[in-house]
Amino acid sequence: MTFQDLPTHLECLLSEGEIPDDNQGSADGRLGPSTVVLDHTSGFEGLLFVDDDLLGVIGHSNFSSIRATTCVFKGKWVYEVLISSQGLMQIGWCTLNCRFNQEEGVGDTPDSYAYDGNRVSWTCCLIDLDEGTITFCLNGQSLGTAFSNIKMGPGIAFFPAISLSFKESVAFNFGSRPLRYPPLISSNKLLGYIKNVLCTAIDSQEEKLIEKSSSFWQLQGEPTVLVTLVHIFNHFAPLMCKVYLVEDVLMNFLLGILEGGGSVDEHPLIQQLLDLFWLLMEDYEVSECLKQLMMSLLRAYRFSPIIPDLGFQIHYLRLTTAILHHENYVTFDVLRSVVFFYIKTPLRVKEAGLEELIPTTWWPTQFDKEVSRNTREESADERLRRRAYERGCQRLKKRIEVVEELQIQILRLMLNSKDKGTGEASRYIFLNKFRKFLQENASNRANPTVLCPPEYMVCFLHRLITAVRSYWDEGKKKIPDYVNSEEAYVPPQLFYNGKVDYFDLQRLGGLLSHLKKTLKDDLAFKANIIIDPAELQATSMDDLDEDEESGAAQRPFGSATATGGALTRPSWLSSPTLGRANRFLSTAAVSLMTPRRPLTPPEKVKVRMLAVEQRTEQDIEGSPGNDGLLLGRPLEEPDQPITEKSLLEILDGIVLMYNLSVHQQLGKMVVVSDDVHEYAVALKDTEEKIARCPSRRVDILEELQKSQKVFAEKLNHLSRRLAWINATIYSKEKMFDIYWLLRVCIRTIEHADNTGSLFAFTPEFYLSVAMNSYSALKNYFSSANSMEDLPGYEDTLTQLAAILAKHFADPRIVGTDMKDSLMQALASYVCYPQSLRAVERISEDQRVAMMKNLLAPYEQRPWAQTNWILVRLWRVSYIYISYVLHLSNALIESDLQSPCPSHLLQRHMAELLRQDKEMGASFLNSVLNQLNWAFSEFIGMIQEVKNKILLRVLEMTVTLVSEIFLDWSRPSAELLLRRLAQLLNQVLNRVTAERNLFDRVVNLRLPGLESVDHYPILVAVTGILVCCVHGPSASVLLSDPCFQLHSIQHLLGAGESDVAGADRKHFSLHAYKDYISAEEAQKVGQMLDFLTDESKQAAASTPTSEEDLCPICYAHSISAIFKPCSHKSCKERDLSKDCHFFKVKRVFAQNKLKTSETC
């Protein structure tokens, strides 16, 4: 055979075994007319509408059936059906003996077989009467063998048939038109021919063909082989443009090459095939083929079932790695390739084989009914179960690590910066697509359908961290001046030089358009960046135009549409007026100066900011005279190379990705652990009930045993599922990744903070990730992975404490939500001993500044978190918190932590209030104002009084710095003491009065007010009284017109009225021995005796003349006179600056005896 005969020979080979067409006349293996149509004369049941060509049909009754005019009894046959509606229909094959009715159709009767095609699609029905099988394909993709061992033999022949319900419609193709999805025989043959050619060599001496390994084949081989391959590819190339052929033929063929195991490098045939693709096919054909191949692998990986050895996932990932190894591979959309880095959690434990991997289950049992941790040792049986469970978890983890390693290899190939070839390196293609991926997810939060699923994001983040760190450390080995990955951070110039697009994300200092106007001088001085005034004015006018345009209509969200399998860029993202985050320095004139060069009018250099998809390697990494991403290094930033600049932008994207959805997903997956805990409590409670159940109550015992069985089965399922989640999400390695990310954010914030005012350019999400990642490490990861085992744990806690202490009141941060988040994070920080000790380890200046900010007046700032922070630092807060837990009667596991007071911070607070008299008075006035307001709105605010713990803050202040009230040499001491006495008397009168509103609220136990009780309020009031009521201060309390001795006697259960009834249970601090020591109760008794004696002496003294009382309040003696009108008042009215009668501004004067005022 010559080369001239080769095309004809290929045609003959490809035609062998093909299914005959209808126009071939009478074919062997079939009976009936040569042109096959639907039998509308006798082969139907029910009412149907048949098209004129007798190929289309519409159901017009409940359930109608119809068959074709031709049957087959041997050979291989196929027909296609276009399903154009979405209702009930059954498509397949039937014999002549099948009898259909309005309820039974094709597939419901003996000797009929059908596929339920309830979707708009092409269904292909294949019958192999040689093997006795029936197969269905959907849109060209085989659904596998549906039926085998079908009935065959003499008298048995099968008709194409369909049953469909009312208004359902289909169209048949029995071969009168070309099949939309032809059989795969030709494609399989051609791939086999290609493989045979690659494994064949010509022995020129003996003039014969010899077999050889494909690993020795080279593209520059013998011309005979190449010419043969050209003829094969003439038939093969057009087929590879069809999606279903790529998925069902090419992908399976390549997977078959890797079935032998071994590394990807041991299978060069895949690389050789890809070489031939690029050589013998058109570029557009190769690109489309490889794109469809990657998409097919993605779909196969995503929907592959979970088996014990994860074989399917490993198989698809190995082929993906082999394709990416080729020098001409196509980098695809990150949004889609993220699927390759996801390891899905099995919903059914049995199908995933977890019962074989983890035969023994275990769950924590060390708790009692109140869910408090039990310190007793675990039993020997529990220890054996736990160890067996842990061994099973380790086996599962090792299998998952194989998949993770392949995923990391894929990412490393995508991040390769040395594979330029004739085009752009993979890393820069990936970087631009990665930034676009982040943009889509950050800008379309209101349209979840276009967002990457958060469970994918979690896995992608961990693999990306590992890949980036590996390249980072490799760079460190090559260039020792680089920073180690353990010390990685994002330099601050990325936040203000406009080289990285942050979309419309908020900055700490507010809008970027505002920052670049107000801080342009700081940019010029610190970062050597000068903005041309003309450009600055132009962008200002542009912002005004944009604000006017957006005033009437909201910016559209979710405008991305799917085109060619990828998300397109929303139109508004490409707008020339897109705001503020993308245009800073985008067209500005920028001048770069050396640090020592004076700020004289410099030579301006125009810098144009390219769109993400237009950037090149030089735009990112820089070039001689161009710093790339690190343009505008501030003077405070060290002049040391960090790493490759592209890795810095990827690291920035990792932080943003955690903020977008990873943290929320980490919190969401904890629910499985919570479910295990709840079922374990229920099981333990049921077992205790079984142990207590009387033997005579067999019915109750049976119900309890059923419940026990249900709980045990559920726990077995959940414990295995939890093992999977711990291995994929909460493992120790994943914990190290989150910890590394936390440290990256801390160092980034510290470097940005050193730039002074330029800190305002930092995106808000860096602070959010720092707080959230610490919260995740503390609350989400299992107890087996302790934070104390992390390297540098205490130093990291101290660094984070310094950030929270400094920035919760930082004037450079303007966002209200961010300020609240920082305050809440600091409040959480002081609740736990370890983190509170970290706060104490920060520098003294930072501690003092933090306490000073906490003691600032409450006006125009949130005071709830401030009170919580202060009261957690107070040494007696345990009394209040433990009693609230006692009242709740709910199973709460340490939501309110045991007290961990800080004497060091208490000392700082006392010194500040003692030394700064003005601040002390202002702080206490704001506390008293809030309390007065709360008790004036008593009905609605009583729960708020409990929540805000204002009284406890007041108690702490009185105890630590009592001289603020008692040292009357301070100008505000007497006034503060009188206000304090007035407040205490009002609280006591309202709370202790018999059968009043508060008493009724306590007794009703209304929903939401279960924990409102006498104790939390009265114990704080008692602490204040014990501390400050002695000597002259007692006279101020007794002289208050609201003072009632029996209200104070109520504290110890004394002084109750007889009308209350003997059966009424009275409040008394003596009843709370678990919370109040005998010594504390004794101090209360002494205080009560002292006030009783002072009250008797005051009652026996000569009453004040009415003429000497204040004419406004009639409660206090006259101590001030207004001049020249001579009107009089007491010093309680000293808060007013006007005469109460004339309302005229007066001049304030003071002497030793009384206050003299002029109106």
Side-chain angles (χ1 to χ4, degrees):
M1 184 178 64
T2 64
F3 282 118
Q4 288 78 8
D5 301 326
L6 185 56
T8 306
H9 181 65
L10 277 174
E11 293 285 354
C12 294
L13 291 175
L14 294 174
S15 63
E16 291 178 0
E18 287 207 354
I19 298 173
D21 295 332
D22 282 339
N23 56 12
Q24 293 176 345
S26 179
D28 187 23
R30 80 176 211 175
L31 297 173
S34 58
T35 301
V36 185
V37 294
L38 296 175
D39 188 355
H40 66 293
T41 57
S42 60
F44 68 92
E45 171 65 33
L47 184 60
L48 305 108
F49 288 160
V50 181
D51 293 347
D52 294 339
D53 59 3
L54 302 182
L55 294 177
V57 62
I58 301 175
H60 205 66
S61 62
N62 183 39
F63 199 53
S64 307
S65 302
I66 191 171
R67 64 173 182 261
T69 57
T70 301
C71 62
V72 295
F73 57 89
K74 72 174 182 179
K76 301 177 177 65
W77 302 90
V78 62
Y79 70 91
E80 284 184 335
V81 182
L82 173 61
I83 303 172
S84 53
S85 59
Q86 298 183 358
L88 175 61
M89 59 188 71
Q90 296 168 193
I91 308 165
W93 303 85
C94 72
T95 65
L96 193 61
N97 297 325
C98 294
R99 295 294 180 262
F100 305 125
N101 54 44
Q102 292 293 306
E103 295 182 356
E104 291 184 341
V106 181
D108 299 325
T109 62
D111 301 334
S112 66
Y113 308 90
Y115 164 75
D116 184 4
N118 57 344
R119 67 190 79 185
V120 179
S121 59
W122 280 90
T123 299
C124 185
C125 305
L126 301 97
I127 187 168
D128 186 346
L129 293 171
D130 298 330
E131 300 293 335
T133 61
I134 293 178
T135 304
F136 296 98
C137 298
L138 182 64
N139 292 334
Q141 300 175 19
S142 175
L143 303 178
T145 301
F147 304 100
S148 57
N149 299 322
I150 63 175
K151 188 175 180 180
M152 296 186 299
I156 302 297
F158 290 92
F159 292 83
I162 184 172
S163 298
L164 64 170
S165 58
F166 184 69
K167 289 296 184 182
E168 303 305 323
S169 61
V170 297
F172 285 84
N173 179 15
F174 296 115
S176 58
R177 299 184 304 273
L179 294 178
R180 185 179 182 90
Y181 296 99
L184 313 177
I185 299 173
S186 299
S187 303
N188 285 315
K189 284 183 178 181
L190 289 168
L191 277 172
Y193 299 156
I194 294 172
K195 183 177 180 182
N196 291 337
V197 171
L198 296 181
C199 298
T200 303
I202 300 176
D203 189 340
S204 58
Q205 295 180 354
E206 299 185 7
E207 297 183 353
K208 66 177 183 179
L209 299 177
I210 59 175
E211 187 176 350
K212 69 171 185 178
S213 173
S214 61
S215 60
F216 297 104
W217 187 85
Q218 296 181 356
L219 192 61
Q220 298 79 17
E222 298 182 8
T224 304
V225 176
L226 290 177
V227 172
T228 304
L229 290 172
V230 168
H231 285 285
I232 296 175
F233 268 84
N234 284 338
H235 296 272
F236 180 73
L239 296 177
M240 289 301 99
C241 294
K242 298 181 181 295
V243 178
Y244 76 102
L245 289 176
V246 172
E247 180 165 344
D248 211 18
V249 177
L250 181 59
M251 185 180 74
N252 290 331
F253 178 79
L254 296 177
L255 288 172
I257 297 175
L258 297 175
E259 282 183 354
S263 65
V264 174
D265 297 332
E266 297 175 4
H267 300 282
L269 181 57
I270 295 178
Q271 302 300 313
Q272 295 166 6
L273 283 173
L274 293 176
D275 287 337
L276 288 174
F277 279 23
W278 286 104
L279 177 66
L280 303 177
M281 296 172 61
E282 298 291 340
D283 287 350
Y284 74 89
E285 292 178 330
V286 183
S287 297
E288 183 64 23
C289 176
L290 292 182
K291 178 180 177 181
Q292 296 303 332
L293 178 59
M294 294 296 290
M295 294 303 299
S296 299
L297 282 170
L298 185 147
R299 285 191 296 268
Y301 177 83
R302 180 179 181 182
F303 296 110
S304 57
I306 300 293
I307 59 177
D309 62 352
L310 299 173
F312 290 116
Q313 287 77 12
I314 293 173
H315 211 36
Y316 298 131
L317 290 174
R318 291 182 71 238
L319 178 54
T320 304
T321 305
I323 296 172
L324 295 180
H325 265 295
H326 194 268
E327 60 182 4
N328 291 327
Y329 85 90
V330 180
T331 302
F332 299 102
D333 197 338
V334 176
L335 179 60
R336 296 187 177 276
S337 61
V338 163
V339 177
F340 282 122
F341 312 115
Y342 174 54
I343 302 178
K344 62 183 178 182
T345 303
L347 297 178
R348 297 175 179 84
V349 169
K350 190 173 183 179
E351 292 180 4
L354 293 184
E355 292 180 350
E356 292 78 12
L357 276 175
I358 310 176
T360 303
T361 58
W362 173 85
W363 50 85
T365 58
Q366 302 294 324
F367 44 80
D368 55 23
K369 285 187 177 180
E370 286 73 30
V371 200
S372 61
R373 295 293 178 187
N374 199 329
T375 57
R376 65 180 177 87
E377 294 292 335
E378 61 181 354
S379 64
D381 180 61
E382 289 176 346
R383 188 182 304 110
L384 290 175
R385 285 183 57 206
R386 177 176 56 80
R387 291 176 178 175
Y389 176 73
E390 290 173 350
R391 287 193 297 269
C393 294
Q394 285 298 320
R395 288 193 295 269
L396 174 63
K397 183 179 177 183
K398 288 180 179 179
R399 297 190 178 186
I400 291 176
E401 286 175 349
V402 176
V403 178
E404 293 177 345
E405 183 59 34
L406 287 170
Q407 293 171 334
I408 293 170
Q409 290 181 24
I410 293 174
L411 261 180
R412 281 185 55 84
L413 290 170
M414 289 183 172
L415 295 179
N416 187 4
S417 61
K418 308 300 182 184
D419 60 347
K420 294 182 182 179
T422 58
E424 192 175 8
S426 300
R427 178 182 297 178
Y428 305 104
I429 300 174
F430 172 87
L431 182 56
N432 291 335
K433 290 181 179 292
F434 180 53
R435 207 69 198 178
K436 205 170 182 182
F437 164 74
L438 294 174
Q439 183 178 8
E440 293 290 348
N441 282 270
S443 303
N444 290 287
R445 307 305 298 171
N447 188 5
T449 57
V450 302
L451 301 180
C452 177
E455 58 270 22
Y456 291 10
M457 285 281 230
V458 173
C459 295
F460 184 36
L461 177 123
H462 287 296
R463 309 301 176 268
L464 193 55
I465 287 177
T466 304
V468 167
R469 291 194 65 180
S470 65
Y471 272 115
W472 195 302
D473 291 334
E474 288 176 8
K476 169 69 176 177
K477 292 178 182 178
K478 295 177 182 178
I479 304 178
D481 291 340
Y482 279 174
V483 174
N484 193 285
S485 68
E486 286 293 337
E487 304 297 326
Y489 70 96
V490 179
Q493 51 264 48
L494 262 71
F495 306 144
Y496 55 74
N497 65 13
K499 293 295 184 180
V500 177
D501 188 357
Y502 287 102
F503 330 124
D504 53 353
L505 297 176
Q506 186 74 2
R507 307 300 182 99
L508 292 178
L511 293 176
L512 194 58
S513 57
H514 170 74
L515 292 176
K516 70 177 182 179
K517 297 173 192 174
T518 57
L519 298 178
K520 62 180 184 297
D521 294 337
D522 293 332
L523 282 172
F525 177 73
K526 296 182 177 181
N528 302 325
I529 294 179
I530 296 178
I531 304 176
D532 189 356
E535 289 288 346
L536 185 60
Q537 183 178 4
T539 54
S540 301
M541 296 301 295
D542 195 26
D543 287 338
L544 291 175
D545 294 340
E546 180 183 346
D547 292 338
E548 292 175 0
E549 292 172 2
S550 61
Q554 187 178 2
R555 171 181 288 175
F557 284 92
S559 56
T561 58
T563 302
L567 288 176
T568 59
R569 187 185 182 97
S571 58
W572 58 267
L573 289 175
S574 302
S575 171
T577 59
L578 171 63
R580 306 165 167 104
N582 196 22
R583 277 182 306 146
F584 175 49
L585 295 182
S586 60
T587 56
V590 178
S591 176
L592 302 180
M593 304 171 295
T594 58
R596 297 183 180 181
R597 185 174 177 180
L599 281 174
T600 56
E603 180 183 355
K604 294 182 173 58
V605 179
K606 293 287 183 178
V607 175
R608 183 171 59 91
M609 179 63 183
L610 298 176
V612 172
E613 59 273 10
Q614 295 176 332
R615 295 190 305 174
T616 63
E617 179 180 350
Q618 287 187 351
D619 298 320
I620 298 171
E621 297 291 355
S623 59
N626 175 20
D627 289 336
L629 291 181
L630 299 186
L631 173 72
R633 180 180 62 85
L635 299 176
E636 298 83 0
E637 186 68 12
D639 187 11
Q640 175 190 5
I642 303 172
T643 187
E644 297 175 80
K645 299 179 180 65
S646 54
L647 294 180
L648 293 175
E649 184 173 347
I650 297 175
L651 177 58
D652 176 79
I654 290 173
V655 179
L656 175 56
M657 190 163 55
Y658 184 91
N659 183 69
L660 290 177
S661 59
V662 172
H663 180 72
Q664 292 84 343
Q665 182 65 16
L666 289 178
K668 192 180 300 182
M669 296 305 292
V670 178
V671 69
V672 179
S673 177
D674 295 339
D675 289 344
V676 170
H677 186 78
E678 291 177 5
Y679 276 102
V681 172
L683 178 62
K684 188 175 182 66
D685 184 67
T686 304
E687 290 173 346
E688 292 176 355
K689 290 179 179 178
I690 291 175
R692 297 194 307 267
C693 181
S695 57
R696 65 179 182 274
R697 298 304 305 269
V698 179
D699 54 338
I700 297 178
L701 184 61
E702 289 179 352
E703 292 298 324
L704 289 173
Q705 289 173 344
K706 289 180 181 178
S707 300
Q708 182 187 26
K709 182 179 178 180
V710 170
F711 292 147
E713 290 177 351
K714 190 66 175 178
L715 277 170
N716 287 332
H717 170 82
L718 288 175
S719 62
R720 292 187 175 100
R721 189 159 181 253
L722 182 62
W724 184 284
I725 293 174
N726 285 337
T728 56
I729 299 178
Y730 298 120
S731 67
K732 190 172 184 179
E733 292 75 14
K734 309 301 184 297
M735 187 178 189
F736 274 101
D737 287 345
I738 303 300
Y739 180 62
W740 179 78
L741 197 60
L742 166 63
R743 298 180 69 179
V744 166
C745 291
I746 289 175
R747 283 188 290 270
T748 300
I749 294 168
E750 290 175 344
H751 280 264
D753 182 38
N754 292 335
T755 63
S757 58
L758 299 185
F759 177 68
F761 286 98
T762 306
E764 281 189 347
F765 64 80
Y766 273 90
L767 273 174
S768 298
V769 172
M771 295 182 287
N772 290 335
S773 57
Y774 168 73
S775 174
L777 291 170
K778 187 176 183 305
N779 300 316
Y780 298 158
F781 287 82
S782 64
S783 57
N785 300 321
S786 173
M787 286 186 65
E788 298 179 359
D789 298 334
L790 297 171
Y793 165 67
E794 291 189 354
D795 292 339
T796 302
L797 281 185
T798 304
Q799 289 175 302
L800 183 58
I803 289 174
L804 296 176
K806 180 175 183 178
H807 297 300
F808 83 92
D810 192 338
R812 295 173 295 180
I813 300 176
V814 300
T816 304
D817 292 341
M818 179 53 61
K819 288 182 177 180
D820 289 345
S821 297
L822 287 166
M823 182 72 78
Q824 292 170 9
L826 183 61
S828 175
Y829 225 68
V830 300
C831 287
Y832 301 92
Q834 290 180 328
S835 52
L836 180 59
R837 300 290 87 83
V839 175
E840 294 178 341
R841 287 195 298 269
I842 65 178
S843 66
E844 183 175 357
D845 292 341
Q846 288 178 316
R847 293 196 304 268
V848 173
M850 178 189 74
M851 295 306 299
K852 189 172 183 179
N853 287 324
L854 288 173
L855 296 176
Y858 287 150
E859 285 77 8
Q860 296 182 353
R861 76 185 187 97
W863 48 272
Q865 295 92 345
T866 300
N867 291 328
W868 175 251
I869 294 172
L870 292 175
V871 82
R872 291 300 303 183
L873 304 177
W874 180 224
R875 63 177 180 267
V876 295
S877 60
Y878 176 71
I879 299 176
Y880 171 78
I881 293 173
S882 60
Y883 187 70
V884 171
L885 286 174
H886 172 73
L887 284 177
S888 64
N889 292 323
L891 298 177
I892 304 174
E893 186 177 7
S894 301
D895 286 339
L896 296 177
Q897 297 297 317
S898 299
C900 45
S902 173
H903 299 287
L904 176 62
L905 297 179
Q906 289 178 26
R907 178 167 58 83
H908 288 323
M909 175 181 174
E911 291 174 354
L912 284 170
L913 294 176
R914 189 178 295 115
Q915 295 172 4
D916 193 335
K917 298 179 180 180
E918 182 178 352
M919 184 187 70
S922 178
F923 168 71
L924 284 172
N925 277 321
S926 61
V927 173
L928 293 170
N929 288 340
Q930 292 291 343
L931 279 168
N932 283 329
W933 171 68
F935 277 93
S936 65
E937 301 288 339
F938 190 72
I939 299 175
M941 291 300 299
I942 188 63
Q943 189 180 15
E944 297 300 315
V945 173
K946 185 268 297 182
N947 286 334
K948 306 310 189 236
I949 327 175
L950 280 164
L951 285 170
R952 305 299 281 176
V953 175
L954 190 59
E955 177 194 7
M956 175 174 63
T957 308
V958 171
T959 305
L960 292 176
V961 203
S962 58
E963 57 265 34
I964 292 182
F965 299 93
L966 303 181
D967 183 5
W968 285 18
S969 63
R970 300 170 70 101
S972 59
E974 181 183 357
L975 176 61
L976 290 174
L977 183 60
R978 292 185 181 277
R979 291 196 64 190
L980 178 64
Q982 182 184 36
L983 173 69
L984 295 179
N985 284 322
Q986 289 179 359
V987 172
L988 285 171
N989 292 340
R990 288 173 180 258
V991 175
T992 62
E994 289 291 336
R995 302 186 184 282
N996 66 346
L997 177 60
F998 181 78
D999 199 45
R1000 293 181 180 178
V1001 170
V1002 171
N1003 293 328
L1004 286 175
R1005 298 296 179 193
L1006 298 174
L1009 298 175
E1010 297 89 348
S1011 58
V1012 174
D1013 193 78
H1014 296 84
Y1015 179 89
I1017 298 176
L1018 294 181
V1019 72
V1021 173
T1022 302
I1024 297 173
L1025 291 173
V1026 170
C1027 181
C1028 69
V1029 175
H1030 53 79
S1033 60
S1035 61
V1036 176
L1037 180 69
L1038 296 174
S1039 63
D1040 187 87
C1042 297
F1043 174 77
Q1044 298 182 28
L1045 182 61
H1046 71 82
S1047 295
I1048 300 180
Q1049 293 173 338
H1050 181 93
L1051 298 176
L1052 294 178
E1056 305 289 352
S1057 60
D1058 296 335
V1059 297
D1063 58 340
R1064 181 176 177 81
K1065 184 177 180 181
H1066 302 300
F1067 175 85
S1068 174
L1069 292 176
H1070 289 305
Y1072 301 92
K1073 296 180 180 179
D1074 294 338
Y1075 313 121
I1076 298 179
S1077 63
E1079 181 182 358
E1080 291 172 332
Q1082 183 180 3
K1083 290 182 180 179
V1084 177
Q1086 293 173 356
M1087 179 269 298
L1088 183 58
D1089 294 340
F1090 174 76
L1091 286 178
T1092 302
D1093 295 339
E1094 290 292 320
S1095 178
K1096 292 178 179 178
Q1097 293 178 10
S1101 63
T1102 304
T1104 304
S1105 171
E1106 184 175 341
E1107 294 181 357
D1108 296 331
L1109 293 178
C1110 172
I1112 299 174
C1113 67
Y1114 285 94
H1116 301 280
S1117 300
I1118 294 173
S1119 56
I1121 300 176
F1122 291 85
K1123 293 182 179 180
C1125 64
S1126 299
H1127 292 130
K1128 303 175 182 179
S1129 72
C1130 62
K1131 293 196 70 174
E1132 288 296 310
R1133 310 274 71 80
D1134 190 50
L1135 289 176
S1136 174
K1137 301 300 181 181
D1138 304 330
C1139 173
H1140 290 273
F1141 298 98
F1142 286 97
K1143 300 296 180 184
V1144 179
K1145 296 292 182 182
R1146 49 105 172 150
V1147 179
F1148 179 79
Q1150 185 175 3
N1151 55 31
K1152 294 183 180 180
L1153 298 177
K1154 63 174 66 177
T1155 300
S1156 179
E1157 308 181 13
T1158 304
C1159 62

